[in-house]
Amino acid sequence: MGIKMSWEEFARSMGVEPQILENKEARLLKKFVMDLKVPTHCIGCQGLDLSNPNPVHHPSYELTPACNHDCIFCYSNVAVKLGKVPKPGYYGWENPKAITVSQYGEPLLSKRIVKVNRMLRERFPNARLDLQTNGSLLTEELWEKLDFDLVMISLDAATREKHMKITNADTFDAVVNALRIVGADKSIRSVVRTIFMPGINDEDIPKIAELASSLGVDEMMLQPLTIHELNVERLKKAGLDFERAESVRELLKTAMEAKKYIDVRISGCQLAIYRTMDPLTLFGARRVARDVVPLVKRSREGF
């Protein structure tokens, strides 16, 4: 019968101290993950509770599936093509902790944005109201009419040329101006929302962080790319490194670079999982980046 040894004992029997088997970069990544804060947008989300077998995102109010951008990675575009976009309305429950306006399309295209904003504030006075927008239509005049607690503005490039490549829209200056508007308003939490697309924009991300910080933006929410099948060819043509897009290590290393300039955070539900991993597992972890069109996992209310 063989003698059972722990891995530490086995290492020493081979003349190697256990700590030498560890990876310095892995330990650094683990510490970075443990020090990260949950994105403000994710506070109160069911996805932070790993014991919940079927978590859903915050409720949302959908205004329109239309958008003035045509981003190469967009799940909303896929939903439109497949006829899977949610109808306008509230998707959620009574007494929500937060409501997002909106998860599909560009909400500022809707003429109802101000009316819906006020209606949600009146009906759910205790809920945090989050606006998710590409920012290209946000003006000082419109901002004075809106009443949100948190604003997430999407920006995935640091130059006009790269922005056009990703969004197929010449709106870079308008988006930067939107970041300036919300960054100057210290009564709300301002967030630049950036998608990690290695091979396309990974070198831009620290520059986006620096730009946003210079405009007074509070936070960067760095999100991994979900690759929807209908977007594969567009992403391939743009130069996406599909292998690196699935690497948790590559995402975290980019977040570390951006952290030099701004309060960087990664998706809360993923952060919760990464925190449970030991350093070496985290170092080699990969995520399944491919997906079908996302579906709203909550019922629609009649208002």
Side-chain angles (χ1 to χ4, degrees):
M1 183 175 180
I3 299 175
K4 293 183 178 180
M5 291 189 293
S6 68
W7 73 267
E8 293 96 338
E9 292 170 331
F10 176 76
R12 289 193 177 97
S13 73
M14 300 296 291
V16 179
E17 280 301 307
Q19 62 266 29
I20 298 175
L21 297 178
E22 288 195 28
N23 181 309
K24 183 178 180 181
E25 185 178 357
R27 294 197 302 272
L28 186 63
L29 289 178
K30 176 67 175 183
K31 184 181 185 306
F32 179 69
V33 163
M34 298 308 293
D35 290 343
L36 278 178
K37 296 179 181 179
V38 170
T40 307
H41 172 63
C42 298
I43 294 174
C45 180
Q46 295 180 17
L48 299 181
D49 180 5
L50 296 182
S51 67
N52 188 332
N54 190 34
V56 297
H57 292 297
H58 293 304
S60 68
Y61 195 101
E62 303 303 325
L63 279 163
T64 175
C67 189
N68 59 328
H69 285 182
D70 181 22
C71 297
I72 58 177
F73 60 84
C74 184
Y75 65 82
S76 188
N77 282 345
V78 172
V80 169
K81 292 173 183 176
L82 296 179
K84 300 292 185 179
V85 290
K87 295 179 180 179
Y90 176 67
Y91 292 80
W93 47 85
E94 291 294 335
N95 302 316
K97 294 182 179 179
I99 302 171
T100 303
V101 182
S102 56
Q103 292 183 3
Y104 289 78
E106 172 47 52
L108 299 190
L109 276 174
S110 173
K111 295 180 180 179
R112 298 177 59 237
I113 179 62
V114 174
K115 180 179 179 180
V116 167
N117 184 191
R118 291 174 179 171
M119 179 271 291
L120 291 174
R121 183 64 79 192
E122 292 174 3
R123 176 148 183 178
F124 304 104
N126 297 319
R128 190 187 72 237
L129 298 185
D130 297 355
L131 174 65
Q132 182 169 289
T133 172
N134 65 35
S136 63
L137 301 173
L138 186 64
T139 62
E140 293 278 5
E141 181 181 7
L142 176 57
W143 181 242
E144 290 177 0
K145 299 176 183 177
L146 296 176
D147 178 20
F148 285 93
D149 301 297
L150 180 148
V151 179
M152 294 177 287
I153 294 179
S154 297
L155 182 61
D156 301 298
T159 65
R160 177 188 177 194
E161 293 72 23
K162 182 70 70 67
H163 179 76
M164 289 180 65
K165 178 181 179 181
I166 293 172
T167 66
N168 289 287
D170 188 8
T171 57
F172 180 76
D173 290 343
V175 176
V176 171
N177 186 56
L179 289 170
R180 182 179 293 107
I181 291 171
V182 300
D185 188 342
K186 295 309 175 184
S187 69
I188 58 101
R189 183 71 173 175
S190 55
V191 181
V192 60
R193 179 174 174 266
T194 303
I195 307 298
F196 173 60
M197 294 178 281
I200 298 176
N201 77 338
D202 43 324
E203 293 183 356
D204 286 57
I205 290 172
K207 298 175 184 177
I208 296 170
E210 185 175 19
L211 171 63
S213 179
S214 73
L215 298 173
V217 175
D218 300 310
E219 180 182 324
M220 169 181 271
M221 185 174 179
L222 183 62
Q223 295 187 265
L225 173 68
T226 296
I227 303 168
H228 297 282
E229 290 301 322
L230 294 184
N231 291 332
V232 168
E233 290 305 316
R234 301 178 77 189
L235 290 166
K236 186 183 298 184
K237 184 178 180 180
L240 179 71
D241 186 329
F242 287 81
E243 182 76 12
R244 291 177 59 216
E246 294 184 339
S247 169
V248 173
R249 178 173 71 253
E250 292 293 334
L251 170 70
L252 294 176
K253 286 169 61 177
T254 301
M256 291 175 73
E257 286 299 311
K259 186 78 171 179
K260 297 174 182 177
Y261 305 101
I262 198 170
D263 180 3
V264 173
R265 309 187 184 191
I266 62 173
S267 301
C269 52
Q270 293 172 31
L271 179 60
I273 295 172
Y274 299 159
R275 283 175 172 170
T276 68
M277 297 179 178
D278 64 78
L280 291 178
T281 300
L282 179 66
F283 183 79
R286 305 189 67 77
R287 57 180 295 276
V288 178
R290 305 273 181 146
D291 199 2
V292 294
V293 60
L295 298 175
V296 174
K297 297 168 62 178
R298 48 202 174 275
S299 61
R300 174 173 174 262
E301 298 293 333
F303 69 92

